[in-house]
Amino acid sequence: GTAAPADIVAAVEAAGYGASPKNAAAQSAAPSADALKDTETPRLKRRLIASLIFWVVLMYFSGVTINMISLSGLAVAVGMLVDNSVVVIENIYRLRSKGATVIQAAVSGAAQVVGAITASTLTTVCVFLPIVFVEGITKQLFTDLALTMTYSLLASLIVALTLVPAMASGMLKKEKAVKAGLLERVYPAYRRAVGWSLGHKAMVLLLAVVLLAGSAWGAVSRGFVFMPQIDMNNVSLTVTMPEGISREE
């Protein structure tokens, strides 16, 4: 069979999988990265559903109801639910396409990025979770949102480190021909843009600083307010009448 590259061998041995004739034979039949991505969309749907189920269970045991605030938190977090899983599955794809077996790629692919996705998730959780510990109307309004965001992100992390490798080890064995999509047509232009940016680092950094300063100035210039003014379609009128006057008068 075809031997795995040095970096793959080191990665899988670190995860507890040594090289063997059986593994080497399996590596020679490893499908290409393009073929592996044929079933990416169904897996994304399954990971999203699993994260949502986990989120609902945590809400149930903490007494958080489904309301406008909690649904707003879910709407904000739904875009991040599959981020951790995407990072894990892409790393598994990378190892699989380089010759690692399905089990080796699943175990090592998750182990190599566990620190990165954990840190990424906790940075977002640290933004919303402290809202639970404040007092006053802020806690009453935004506790459900903070708990919803925290639960959904932690659920996505757990799913990415457990369910995704397990599913990948069983679903990355099939090889199907796929057609070139939009990303394949965009890659050449993207490579040229990255090459130009690496050749003009000073200009790119200066542009980033200007955009950062402009964004900060625009945010500060708008001012801060706890609740925005709302144009209500009603009129409140209070009339004080002289003492001794009857209702009819």
Side-chain angles (χ1 to χ4, degrees), residues 64-113:
V64 179
T65 60
I66 297 179
N67 50 60
M68 293 299 296
I69 301 299
S70 61
L71 289 178
S72 299
L74 179 62
V76 174
V78 71
M80 297 181 283
L81 286 181
V82 296
D83 287 352
N84 294 331
S85 298
V86 169
V87 173
V88 173
I89 199 68
E90 287 296 330
N91 199 42
I92 295 175
Y93 278 138
R94 181 181 65 85
L95 297 179
R96 184 80 174 101
S97 61
K98 286 187 176 181
T101 64
V102 176
I103 301 299
Q104 292 172 348
V107 175
S108 299
Q112 290 176 1
V113 297

Side-chain angles (χ1 to χ4, degrees), residues 45-59:
K45 293 179 180 178
R46 294 186 182 97
R47 293 193 292 267
L48 181 59
I49 293 173
S51 299
L52 291 178
I53 293 175
F54 205 138
W55 163 73
V56 172
V57 171
L58 291 176
M59 287 182 62

